[in-house]
Amino acid sequence: MPIKRGRKSLQNLGDYARKRIRHDAVEIEDSPEADTVEEIEFEEPVSVEPEPEPEPELSSTSDSDDGLFDGPEDAEDLLMQDDKDVEELFSQLENHFSKTLRTAQACLQNAEKLKSRPSTYCKINPKNPKTLFSRRKKAAVDRQAMRDKGYPNIRTLFERRRSLAARNEGSSSESDNEIEEIDNLLTQSDGLVPSQEGEESFGESAEMHLEGNASCPAPSLFPLVALGPETPGHSWPEGETPEVVMNGHAGAACGEPGGAEGWNLPEAYVDEAPNEIEQPGPTSEPPLSIATSPGPEAPVFTPKQPSRPPPKTSLALAEAVRTLGHKARRTELNPVLRGRVVAMLAFLRFYTTLSLGLNWTEASELAAVGAGKGKALARKLREWVGLYLQDPESLPKLRCANVQRTLVEDEDIAQEIKLHLLSLGKYFTAMDIVKYSAQADVAGRWGLTRPISESTATRWLQHLDYRYQNEKKGYADGHEREDVVRYRQDVFLKEWFRPQERMVVRDDEGKVVKTPPNPLLLLIPITHDESTFYAHDQRKKRWVHKSEGAVPVRKGEGTSLMVSDFCSPDLPGGWLRSKDGTREARVIFKAGKNRDGYFDNDNVLESTRNAIDIFETHHPPESGVKALFLFDNAKTHSKRADDALSARKMPKSTRLWLPRSGVKMRNGSLPNGEAQPLWFPDDHPDPKKAGMFKGMEVILRERGLWPARGLRAECEGFKCATPDTKTDCCARRLLFTQPDFVNQKSKLQEFVEGRGHHFLFYPKFHCELNFIEMCWGRAKFEYRMYGIPRNEEQQEEYVRKALDSVSPSTINRFANRSARFMDAYRQGLSGSQAAWAGRKYHGHRTLPPEFVAEVKQRVN
């Protein structure tokens, strides 16, 4: 009966032979070296003809009746007990093993060629063709994992153990402890012990062999079919070295065939082959075991079996499911990390659900399928969950980091984009930003080599707080936001009402109601703002005769003119002009790329410098009269100086660092009021610190604020959970809330106060408090009556005419209306209640208490 070379036929033959003969081991003598072959496949008959050799004989390994063959006589007696075809089958099995032994030896000798020429490979298992290259890749990963755990090289451990065993043979020695320790390392090593599911983990030894001994690949290159358990107390006789059966092929365990450097592979290293070779179980027959052949003596050791998965009803698994459930609901986690946590949670829930009846491997593979992945993720899930069960703080690590910042986070670039969008009018698209970034001067200024994409422009618009939606009516979002209300009540109103005794109060008719007791302490409020006038912004309704036909309408809003101006009810004429009338604080600005550019912080500083100079023509510094300049809380106005204190981008550790501006920050303030330099001096005694930035940790330590437990640099995205109540969650938040950082003033405020005047920002979203906004509305109402201008010169003429039409008495009424809003907010009214009160009450600058009580009852 001919024997086929397929693994299934070999399995059936081996099972049949084991059941009929009940042997424990088959011993096959070593064979001569075969010719080197380039590629060997087992789908087709092997084309390499081996050299003639004697038939292998069964040799004795023990004199005791321990289940092994005692010699040819014993084997003959056993064979005579059954029919003749058993002897024929067993003979064919021996012949097949001797041929495949020569094939495996040829592959072993050809390893150097396999290493130098990756195109050549040796395919041992046609049904599972894992090539040498994937093995080498896995070996590199396993080796790095072992090094990360602090384990030495596997080959070094084996050689060390072999020498210790040879030295201490037959006697007890102190080095037995070292041998036991090496056994434990080899057992626990990821590079040797297979996983609980039977996956091969021989990568470390495979890589070591390819590097250290090219002529002998590691056993992982040829997955083992079966290695039977060694007989207790059994050791290899002198002069013999073990051989192993690899996927139905016998081969030398290590070194050159019959060489001196042998490997002993115990049962724990069996490479399971699901659906191909039946593994021995509790009730199965003993498998083919390690055979012996003459050779040098090799030490024997039996590593511990790998640990099994925890029971499904264990408390550790229940606690892991609970804690992972909490972590999976944390939206602040990185999306990739959160997805891995969800997959780990699904794995544990599948495993602990008794009704499903899934084992450890099946549960992980089902969770991987649910995540849209395969067995690779299943293996990772088992690894991650195993580490998590040992340490609940151990989550999968993400080996990626985005240290680059987007361009739109730069305040100058963000302001430039906003001004460009302002020049386009209300209706613009993301492609407008793309086209703007494609301009040569813009690309050079931003450091771009090509224009941004439309999707990037869309993200930039969202970062700049734009949303594509219908226009909202009524109060802008954020008017009653918590931080805005806090600033309005705690900062703005207190700073506004505190110097009221120094201000002149007029009624709506312009009559002076109250003056300061000391004229030298007079304080004049001057408000500032910008507004844009469009050429086609004209009235839409008029008296139309029935004989008039349709008139073509011009597209778009036309050219724009931006106006920056200062006004006050205490100034002659309302608008800020010099005493002789030759100078004015008004600035007409043609915003746009091919026009005057964009109105940025430098333009605001220049117009403010001019305004202060004009104001001092009315009230020189020696007169004692001061101005209170009020500005909108916009980014153009609130930009800080280049050396201003800011903890937003500071690193935690000491290093060479400069802010984006390229200028070192000014000194901070210690709790005792002393100056605190943020950089080490250039002549510092430690050369590693000379001229270096101290870092947030050192800065906080010098202030006595660094906690003993330490702090991380910042919460993820600097989005702290409770920034109002807990300020020591991270180093950045703790430094961010220090008085010198909180009270850091804007560049504009420092300039105004440096000139000896007062400064105050309006609350955000509170246009009703800035009475110049009402002046813009009145001027635009007049501007819309003039018709469409023919050119920009006529448009500027119309704008000036419309602004001058706002009389000082009108400005005074607008100022009183804003004062009533301020008083309403001071008495605790909300935005909607203050608006209702403003429509119903037109008397004094303050609201009567009884009227305020009525408003609170009638308006929610």
Side-chain angles (χ1 to χ4, degrees):
M1 182 176 63
I3 181 171
K4 296 182 179 180
R5 297 181 182 274
R7 293 186 61 179
K8 191 65 178 178
S9 300
L10 179 61
Q11 174 192 354
N12 296 337
L13 177 62
D15 292 344
Y16 184 66
R18 281 195 298 270
K19 293 178 181 179
R20 300 298 298 270
I21 303 179
R22 299 182 181 178
H23 62 281
D24 288 327
V26 175
E27 302 171 358
I28 303 176
E29 294 184 355
D30 195 7
S31 59
E33 299 180 2
D35 295 337
T36 302
V37 294
E38 294 288 331
E39 177 176 352
I40 301 172
E41 299 184 358
F42 289 98
E43 287 102 343
E44 300 296 337
V46 180
S47 59
V48 179
E49 293 295 336
E51 298 179 2
E53 63 176 14
E55 293 294 332
E57 297 181 358
L58 299 176
S59 59
S60 176
T61 58
S62 175
D63 296 334
S64 62
D65 188 11
D66 54 1
L68 299 176
F69 289 113
D70 290 334
E73 297 80 2
D74 192 11
E76 184 177 359
D77 294 341
L78 290 174
L79 292 174
M80 291 297 293
Q81 297 177 8
D82 282 301
D83 48 71
K84 296 181 180 180
D85 52 343
V86 175
E87 181 179 2
E88 180 181 357
L89 290 175
F90 193 68
S91 175
Q92 293 183 21
L93 177 63
E94 292 178 340
N95 292 336
H96 177 68
F97 280 173
S98 61
K99 291 180 180 180
T100 54
L101 169 62
R102 291 189 292 275
T103 301
Q105 289 173 346
C107 292
L108 295 175
Q109 295 171 353
N110 200 33
E112 185 64 36
K113 290 186 178 181
L114 298 182
K115 180 179 178 182
S116 60
R117 283 190 296 170
S119 61
T120 306
Y121 62 93
C122 181
K123 186 185 295 183
I124 294 302
N125 183 3
K127 293 186 179 181
N128 187 18
K130 293 186 177 179
T131 62
L132 176 63
F133 321 116
S134 61
R135 297 282 184 159
R136 284 176 59 81
K137 182 178 180 180
K138 184 177 183 299
V141 175
D142 292 342
R143 181 176 60 180
Q144 186 60 39
M146 284 196 58
R147 290 176 178 174
D148 293 343
K149 294 182 179 180
Y151 293 151
N153 185 275
I154 293 295
R155 184 173 185 176
T156 305
L157 289 178
F158 269 106
E159 293 176 352
R160 176 62 177 168
R161 193 194 185 287
R162 185 183 298 111
S163 62
L164 291 174
R167 185 193 313 165
N168 302 331
E169 182 178 4
S171 62
S172 177
S173 175
E174 297 179 355
S175 57
D176 290 342
N177 295 333
E178 184 175 356
I179 294 178
E180 182 179 1
E181 181 180 355
I182 293 178
D183 291 346
N184 293 334
L185 284 176
L186 294 173
T187 302
Q188 300 171 5
S189 168
D190 291 344
L192 285 178
V193 178
S195 61
Q196 299 166 1
E197 293 74 35
E199 296 172 349
E200 51 201 45
S201 305
F202 292 87
E204 172 69 19
S205 56
E207 183 71 8
M208 181 271 292
H209 268 268
L210 285 176
E211 294 181 358
N213 186 0
S215 64
C216 179
S220 63
L221 298 179
F222 309 97
L224 305 180
V225 173
L227 293 174
E230 298 186 16
T231 305
H234 176 74
S235 60
W236 299 111
E238 183 177 358
E240 294 184 351
T241 183
E243 290 182 356
V244 295
V245 179
M246 308 177 193
N247 284 358
H249 312 292
C254 182
E256 299 294 338
E261 297 180 1
W263 285 74
N264 243 344
L265 298 178
E267 180 186 4
Y269 300 157
V270 174
D271 181 23
E272 298 179 4
N275 302 325
E276 294 181 344
I277 299 297
E278 180 182 358
Q279 295 302 311
T283 60
S284 63
E285 295 292 333
L288 295 176
S289 182
I290 298 179
T292 60
S293 62
E297 179 182 358
V300 178
F301 70 97
T302 304
K304 299 178 182 178
Q305 293 291 338
S307 60
R308 296 296 178 183
K312 296 185 177 183
T313 57
S314 66
L315 295 179
L317 286 181
E319 179 65 17
V321 170
R322 186 186 68 82
T323 55
L324 283 176
H326 290 305
K327 290 180 172 62
R329 288 190 290 269
R330 292 171 55 185
T331 57
E332 67 273 10
L333 285 180
N334 181 282
V336 178
L337 177 59
R338 190 181 180 195
R340 295 179 179 181
V341 172
V342 171
M344 293 167 60
L345 178 61
F347 168 31
L348 288 181
R349 285 178 174 171
F350 289 151
Y351 179 68
T352 56
T353 302
L354 300 180
S355 60
L356 295 179
L358 300 177
N359 60 28
W360 188 253
T361 305
E362 293 170 345
S364 64
E365 292 178 350
L366 182 58
V369 171
K373 301 294 182 180
K375 293 186 177 181
L377 177 60
R379 288 191 295 270
K380 281 295 183 182
L381 289 177
R382 294 194 292 270
E383 177 185 344
W384 295 338
V385 170
L387 295 176
Y388 186 80
L389 291 176
Q390 298 176 10
D391 182 10
E393 299 299 326
S394 175
L395 291 178
K397 294 183 179 180
L398 301 178
R399 303 186 181 276
C400 57
N402 182 16
V403 298
Q404 294 184 350
R405 300 291 182 179
T406 178
L407 288 176
V408 77
E409 292 185 9
D410 189 302
E411 293 183 1
D412 295 333
I413 295 179
Q415 185 61 32
E416 182 177 348
I417 296 174
K418 288 184 177 181
L419 293 175
H420 174 67
L421 297 178
L422 182 63
S423 67
L424 300 176
K426 295 190 299 182
Y427 304 102
F428 53 83
T429 63
M431 281 302 300
D432 293 322
I433 302 180
V434 175
K435 295 176 182 178
Y436 182 70
S437 67
Q439 300 174 10
D441 57 336
V442 176
R445 190 164 57 250
W446 292 0
L448 297 176
T449 57
R450 60 181 180 179
I452 64 174
S453 64
E454 186 175 3
S455 59
T456 300
T458 303
R459 290 194 299 269
W460 285 13
L461 286 173
Q462 294 175 349
H463 180 82
L464 296 174
D465 296 332
Y466 287 96
R467 298 296 182 269
Y468 192 79
Q469 60 187 18
N470 295 329
E471 295 183 0
K472 295 184 177 182
K473 298 181 180 180
Y475 279 97
D477 286 345
H479 187 277
E480 297 300 317
R481 204 170 64 192
E482 182 179 357
D483 59 326
V484 175
V485 173
R486 187 187 309 115
Y487 174 80
R488 182 187 70 197
Q489 301 297 128
D490 299 342
V491 179
F492 175 76
L493 293 178
K494 290 182 178 179
E495 294 296 325
W496 170 260
F497 285 102
R498 183 169 54 83
Q500 283 293 307
E501 297 294 331
R502 301 174 55 185
M503 297 183 185
V504 176
V505 179
R506 293 180 175 84
D507 59 14
D508 288 345
E509 301 301 326
K511 296 181 179 179
V512 177
V513 177
K514 188 179 71 171
T515 58
N518 186 355
L520 298 178
L521 299 179
L522 178 63
L523 185 65
I524 298 177
I526 301 177
T527 186
H528 167 271
D529 197 22
E530 301 100 359
S531 185
T532 302
F533 291 77
Y534 293 94
H536 299 167
D537 185 16
Q538 306 300 322
R539 54 183 174 173
K540 302 297 185 290
K541 292 183 178 181
R542 63 181 180 89
W543 291 101
V544 181
H545 193 270
K546 65 178 182 178
S547 62
E548 294 185 24
V551 179
V553 179
R554 299 186 182 185
K555 295 182 179 180
E557 296 180 329
T559 58
S560 63
L561 286 180
M562 194 188 76
V563 181
S564 172
D565 209 344
F566 297 81
C567 72
S568 173
D570 299 332
L571 295 173
W575 300 100
L576 183 56
R577 293 183 174 91
S578 63
K579 192 172 184 179
D580 56 5
T582 58
R583 299 168 59 188
E584 64 178 0
R586 182 178 300 164
V587 176
I588 304 295
F589 195 84
K590 300 176 182 179
K593 173 182 177 281
N594 298 321
R595 306 175 78 194
D596 294 341
Y598 302 97
F599 203 77
D600 55 13
N601 184 259
D602 294 334
N603 298 107
V604 174
L605 287 173
E606 183 61 31
S607 62
T608 305
R609 181 182 292 106
N610 183 46
I612 294 177
D613 294 340
I614 294 175
F615 175 80
E616 291 179 351
T617 62
H618 296 275
H619 306 281
E622 59 272 12
S623 67
V625 179
K626 302 297 180 182
L628 172 60
F629 286 92
L630 298 105
F631 290 83
D632 278 342
N633 202 341
K635 290 186 177 180
T636 309
H637 305 153
S638 59
K639 182 180 179 181
R640 296 181 176 182
D642 293 339
D643 64 341
L645 293 176
S646 175
R648 189 64 184 90
K649 307 290 183 180
M650 281 186 178
K652 177 182 176 182
S653 59
T654 300
R655 64 178 65 178
L656 185 63
W657 177 79
L658 281 176
R660 184 185 291 270
S661 62
V663 180
K664 289 185 178 181
M665 293 183 187
R666 63 188 67 173
N667 294 339
S669 299
L670 295 173
N672 58 6
E674 296 181 1
Q676 181 191 26
L678 305 186
W679 273 261
F680 288 108
D682 295 335
D683 57 350
H684 194 276
D686 187 353
K688 294 183 179 180
K689 296 182 179 180
M692 306 290 283
F693 178 71
K694 293 181 177 179
M696 293 187 292
E697 180 176 352
V698 175
I699 295 174
L700 291 173
R701 287 185 184 277
E702 291 179 353
R703 300 184 180 208
L705 300 176
W706 187 259
R709 71 178 188 280
L711 290 174
R712 54 183 173 181
E714 71 171 14
C715 300
E716 186 175 358
F718 199 43
K719 297 179 180 178
C720 304
T722 55
D724 296 334
T725 58
K726 184 178 178 60
T727 60
D728 60 346
C729 56
C730 60
R732 197 175 310 284
R733 177 64 63 183
L734 182 57
L735 192 59
F736 195 80
T737 55
Q738 294 307 301
D740 51 344
F741 284 81
V742 172
N743 299 325
Q744 175 61 57
K745 299 176 181 179
S746 66
K747 190 175 182 180
L748 181 61
Q749 182 175 356
E750 290 178 345
F751 172 75
V752 172
E753 294 179 348
R755 293 289 298 267
H757 298 279
H758 300 271
F759 183 94
L760 188 60
F761 272 128
Y762 287 110
K764 295 180 179 179
F765 312 109
H766 283 68
C767 57
E768 71 277 9
L769 302 184
N770 190 353
F771 54 88
I772 199 175
E773 297 281 3
M774 307 173 202
C775 297
W776 297 135
R778 182 65 183 83
K780 288 185 177 181
F781 177 83
E782 187 71 20
Y783 173 78
R784 297 176 68 189
M785 301 295 177
Y786 297 152
I788 299 178
R790 296 187 301 272
N791 48 46
E792 291 185 0
E793 289 74 15
Q794 190 177 40
Q795 181 184 2
E796 183 176 347
E797 178 185 349
Y798 286 170
V799 170
R800 290 184 177 276
K801 183 179 178 180
L803 290 172
D804 293 340
S805 67
V806 183
S807 62
S809 60
T810 302
I811 295 176
N812 181 70
R813 289 198 299 271
F814 290 157
N816 286 342
R817 185 169 185 267
S818 294
R820 285 193 289 271
F821 270 100
M822 295 178 191
D823 186 67
Y825 291 137
R826 185 180 64 166
Q827 298 190 53
L829 297 184
S830 63
S832 58
Q833 292 172 338
W836 189 88
R839 290 193 298 268
K840 297 298 181 179
Y841 187 82
H842 302 279
H844 301 287
R845 291 164 57 97
T846 59
L847 301 178
E850 57 275 8
F851 178 75
V852 172
E854 180 184 355
V855 172
K856 290 182 178 179
Q857 292 179 355
R858 299 185 59 176
V859 183
N860 294 328

